Amino acid sequence: MQDGTFSPPGHPLETWTRGDVFSAACPTRQLLDRIADKWSTLILIVLGDGPLRFNALKNRIDGVSQKMLSQTLKSLERDGLVSRSVVPTVPVSVTYAITPLGRTLMAAMQPMVDWAETRMGEVEAAQAGYDRRSSDPY
């Protein structure tokens, strides 16, 4: 992407400045780093099926620690991709849901998920071929 100003169709701002995603300081790159994180992706996919409580999310996403799940949910909430609802029960009940903005991201991510699921055999074959070639001493 190059620097420049343009007005995307339907964008609420009159102008929008594009950054340089190759720069570590670029806000777009920082957002891409967050949403491309494996936990963010998995959380959004799971919440795409409907709201869940914290423990249900933790149980559904194998391998995520409580700390990492909490940090990722806070980041997704801060970015407006996930909402957090607190119900004053005993104990307090907290539910997470994907927001309308998060749904637009899921619409972009779903083709990548579909690609990964349908191409896994080809990727595994490529990996096996690479491993065979890499282990060959000649």
Side-chain angles (χ1 to χ4, degrees), residues 41-57:
T41 301
L42 294 173
I43 289 168
L44 290 170
I45 291 169
V46 170
L47 290 178
D49 291 336
L52 289 172
R53 293 180 61 183
F54 185 90
N55 283 334
L57 273 168

Side-chain angles (χ1 to χ4, degrees), residues 40 43 47 53-54 57 66-79 82-84 96-97:
S40 295
I43 289 168
L47 290 178
R53 293 180 61 183
F54 185 90
L57 273 168
Q66 184 165 333
K67 179 180 177 182
M68 185 54 64
L69 180 58
S70 178
Q71 288 175 348
T72 305
L73 284 166
K74 286 177 185 175
S75 176
L76 292 170
E77 182 182 7
R78 183 172 183 262
D79 291 336
V82 167
S83 65
R84 180 179 184 265
Y96 295 90

Side-chain angles (χ1 to χ4, degrees), residues 15-137:
T15 60
W16 177 267
T17 303
R18 291 183 78 154
D20 176 8
V21 295
F22 301 105
S23 167
C26 177
T28 302
R29 177 173 168 178
Q30 293 168 4
L31 179 60
L32 287 171
D33 287 345
R34 282 193 305 280
I35 63 176
D37 169 80
K38 70 178 175 181
W39 301 124
S40 295
T41 301
L42 294 173
I43 289 168
L44 290 170
I45 291 169
V46 170
L47 290 178
D49 291 336
L52 289 172
R53 293 180 61 183
F54 185 90
N55 283 334
L57 273 168
K58 186 169 181 332
N59 291 335
R60 180 72 175 92
I61 302 172
D62 190 29
V64 68
S65 69
Q66 184 165 333
K67 179 180 177 182
M68 185 54 64
L69 180 58
S70 178
Q71 288 175 348
T72 305
L73 284 166
K74 286 177 185 175
S75 176
L76 292 170
E77 182 182 7
R78 183 172 183 262
D79 291 336
L81 303 172
V82 167
S83 65
R84 180 179 184 265
S85 300
V86 179
V87 179
T89 57
V90 179
V92 173
S93 175
V94 179
T95 302
Y96 295 90
I98 196 167
T99 64
L101 181 60
R103 288 220 178 271
T104 65
L105 175 59
M106 280 307 304
M109 291 173 64
Q110 193 59 54
M112 291 189 331
V113 172
D114 294 342
W115 180 89
E117 289 178 342
T118 60
R119 299 289 189 218
M120 199 59 231
E122 294 171 64
V123 171
E124 288 173 338
Q127 290 171 342
Y130 177 88
D131 291 347
R132 279 192 305 277
R133 290 187 307 276
S134 295
S135 65
D136 188 3

